[in-house]
Amino acid sequence: AQRPKECTGTYFDRKTMAKLSHVALLSLGILSLVSVAWVYKRSGQPNELSSTLRAKARLTSLSRSGMPIGRQRAHSVSTARPFQRPVEVAPVKPKRKPRMRGALPKIGGGLLLLAGSAGGAHAASKAVEIVVKPTMEEVVLTKVIPSIGTVLSNALYFSFAPGVAAALKAGSLGALNPIPVATQLYSTIAWSIYGLAIKNPFVTASNVPAIILSMWAVASLTPLINDKSQLKSFQNLLVAGSAAVSGLWALLIFFVDPTKHAFVAGLFATAICIILFASPLTAMKSVIEKKDASSIYAPFAIVQTVNCLMWFLYGLKIDDVMIFGPNATGLILAIIQLALLIIFPSKAKATEVDPDSSKGALA
């Protein structure tokens, strides 16, 4: 997009700024050279000592020629200028160059080098950036697979919506168990917190819509619970879940180092997954005892298997144990349920879908 030709304030285009920067760098280099030359000249000896310096130079040259010291002094007096007082000067060692005088060329060179480096950096900034395209494997593992997992996760979370709608229409829970719905609410909250902590859009998008749906389901099913013991268990679960989430936020804000927020949130989400894993284990035990897999809903188990596989592969690719760890367990449980469907065919077609039968780890 091109900028408008007229705008408020002072504005220079890219070419003008490049020229100005080059002029500024050249001026800096010239100024550095002039400063070095001026300081180098000012660091010389005063003029009134020039005769003394000349005499020292003559003695130094004579000493190097091998002439005795007495003859050196006589020769120095005889070669002195008329009307000039002879100067008796003892042989001296070669004078060292002043530190400042020797360091000034280095300083000037450093300034020029700095100016050249700045110019090179400016030229490099104008160079065309080389973008390395990701391989097909990276695109599949980091984009396609988590996108499929996001869709499947939301599909699994929304699978109990028809049962909740039917219960509201009938005015009774019937065979619907409200406990897994409440557990799913806090599971999605935990995974959303973890997704936000690691700034992962796929994990976040897989759980935020389910939070809204689960809150609607909990609010809709609560008035329909007539069994007092079931209502008490449901209420206790809601209170415990709310306390756990509130405690997690307080822990993260006041006691946990910000660099460890994602780790603690991941542990919390994994702990809820462990609770959810108890449901399919109980269902599988009942299937083995009765030798009847009618309580396992086959389409749900298949989708659950594919979903856990997608998140497991994605977690391995980004090297996140909080993602591939729980989903590896969920994948194993889902495969076992599929095996039970093959080993123990349903004796009667399942008329009700138990939302608690195939819960696994949903990232």
Side-chain angles (χ1 to χ4, degrees):
Q2 297 182 353
R3 293 180 177 270
K5 295 183 178 180
E6 297 182 359
C7 59
T8 59
T10 304
Y11 172 73
F12 296 100
D13 58 6
R14 189 179 183 86
K15 294 183 179 179
T16 306
M17 290 299 296
K19 293 179 180 178
L20 290 177
S21 63
H22 291 162
V23 172
L25 294 175
L26 181 61
S27 302
L28 178 61
I30 296 174
L31 181 61
S32 302
L33 290 177
V34 173
S35 301
V36 170
W38 181 78
V39 176
Y40 186 83
K41 183 177 180 181
R42 294 289 296 176
S43 63
Q45 298 293 335
N47 293 331
E48 56 267 26
L49 298 180
S50 59
S51 60
T52 304
L53 294 176
R54 284 195 295 269
K56 289 182 179 180
R58 284 196 298 272
L59 289 175
T60 303
S61 61
L62 290 174
S63 63
R64 291 178 178 176
S65 64
M67 185 180 294
I69 296 178
R71 292 186 62 185
Q72 291 177 15
R73 293 180 179 177
H75 182 79
S76 176
V77 173
S78 62
T79 57
R81 294 181 180 180
F83 309 104
Q84 183 178 5
R85 183 179 178 182
V87 179
E88 295 289 338
V89 181
V92 296
K93 297 180 180 179
K95 186 177 180 180
R96 296 181 180 178
K97 185 182 292 186
R99 292 184 178 180
M100 186 63 185
R101 191 172 178 178
L104 284 176
K106 297 181 180 180
I107 297 176
L111 291 176
L112 289 177
L113 181 60
L114 179 61
S117 301
H122 176 74
S125 64
K126 296 175 64 178
V128 179
E129 296 182 358
I130 300 176
V131 180
V132 180
K133 294 183 178 180
T135 62
M136 181 61 66
E137 178 185 358
E138 293 178 347
V139 172
V140 171
L141 291 177
T142 61
K143 301 295 182 182
V144 178
I145 285 181
S147 299
I148 296 175
T150 300
V151 174
L152 293 179
S153 294
N154 282 284
L156 290 173
Y157 284 134
F158 278 72
S159 62
F160 66 83
V164 175
L168 288 175
K169 185 177 180 179
S172 173
L173 288 179
L176 183 62
N177 185 4
I179 300 298
V181 178
T183 307
Q184 177 174 293
L185 171 63
Y186 296 110
S187 175
T188 53
I189 292 176
W191 283 111
S192 297
I193 294 173
Y194 181 68
L196 294 173
I198 63 175
K199 298 181 180 180
N200 190 305
F202 298 108
V203 177
T204 304
S206 298
N207 294 276
V208 170
I211 294 176
I212 301 174
L213 178 68
S214 300
M215 294 181 67
W216 165 78
V218 169
S220 301
L221 295 178
T222 302
L224 302 180
I225 302 176
N226 297 322
D227 188 356
K228 292 184 178 180
S229 61
Q230 189 180 43
L231 178 60
K232 185 177 181 179
S233 300
F234 188 73
Q235 292 174 340
N236 292 337
L237 179 60
L238 292 178
V239 173
S242 301
V245 173
S246 301
L248 175 64
W249 279 112
L251 184 66
L252 294 177
I253 294 174
F254 295 108
F255 301 102
V256 178
D257 186 86
T259 59
K260 298 181 180 180
H261 281 177
F263 177 74
V264 176
L267 289 180
F268 181 76
T270 303
I272 297 181
C273 276
I274 294 175
I275 297 175
L276 291 175
F277 288 154
S279 299
L281 289 175
T282 303
M284 286 187 288
K285 181 181 178 181
S286 176
V287 169
I288 295 174
E289 290 177 351
K290 297 179 180 180
K291 296 182 180 182
D292 183 9
S294 59
S295 61
I296 299 177
Y297 188 49
F300 193 93
I302 294 173
V303 174
Q304 177 71 17
T305 304
V306 178
N307 177 62
C308 288
L309 178 62
M310 297 293 103
W311 287 109
F312 174 71
L313 295 176
Y314 177 62
L316 287 179
K317 177 60 180 178
I318 66 175
D319 194 19
D320 192 335
V321 67
M322 298 299 177
I323 294 179
F324 72 76
N327 283 283
T329 306
L331 178 61
I332 294 173
L333 294 176
I335 293 175
I336 293 175
Q337 292 183 53
L338 292 177
L340 291 177
L341 284 171
I342 298 174
I343 297 173
F344 303 111
S346 301
K347 295 180 180 179
K349 186 177 179 179
T351 57
E352 295 290 342
V353 178
D354 184 5
D356 197 19
S357 61
S358 300
K359 291 291 180 180
L362 301 180

